[in-house]
Amino acid sequence: MSLERVTITIPSETLEAVRSAAERDGLSVSAWLSRAAERAAKIEAGLAAAEEAMAHLPPPTPEEQAWVDAVMKDATRPAYSDEYSSRPDDRARGAA
């Protein structure tokens, strides 16, 4: 694998978050950013492939779309929000 040096500009707050994350993971900032960029590129490639595949399918029925919407709402809800608390100590106190 060949490596290239690049210069990037990111907000100071983002850089501090990256430094903290890299330290927690035992990586250099460069290695952490490289891993993050690789993951983001794979996600974008997957989304592009899915979009391409979806172009060859008929649109979903209203029932299918409702199912997708429900699954996505559940999958993207915060893990410990007040509305959806799933922590055992909250359930024991009768929290929602």
Side-chain angles (χ1 to χ4, degrees), residues 4 9-10 13 24 29 31-32 34-37 39 41-42 44 54 58 61-62 70 79 81 83-84 86 90 93 96:
E4 293 188 40
T9 303
I10 60 175
E13 299 83 14
R24 280 191 307 275
V29 168
W32 194 94
S34 180
R35 183 181 70 178
R39 288 176 176 174
K42 285 179 181 180
E44 290 299 321
M54 294 300 292
T61 65
S81 73
E83 184 179 358
Y84 297 104
S86 61
D90 288 347
R93 288 192 297 258

Side-chain angles (χ1 to χ4, degrees), residues 13-84:
E13 299 83 14
T14 302
L15 181 56
E16 285 307 311
V18 167
R19 286 179 174 146
S20 294
E23 185 176 333
R24 280 191 307 275
D25 291 349
L27 298 171
S28 67
V29 168
S30 181
W32 194 94
L33 284 170
S34 180
R35 183 181 70 178
E38 182 180 3
R39 288 176 176 174
K42 285 179 181 180
I43 289 169
E44 290 299 321
L47 291 171
E51 191 173 293
E52 173 67 25
M54 294 300 292
H56 300 287
L57 298 174
T61 65
E63 294 82 13
E64 291 168 335
Q65 187 62 54
W67 177 83
V68 169
D69 292 344
V71 168
M72 291 307 295
K73 181 179 180 182
D74 187 55
T76 59
R77 70 176 168 78
Y80 294 114
S81 73
D82 292 337
E83 184 179 358
Y84 297 104

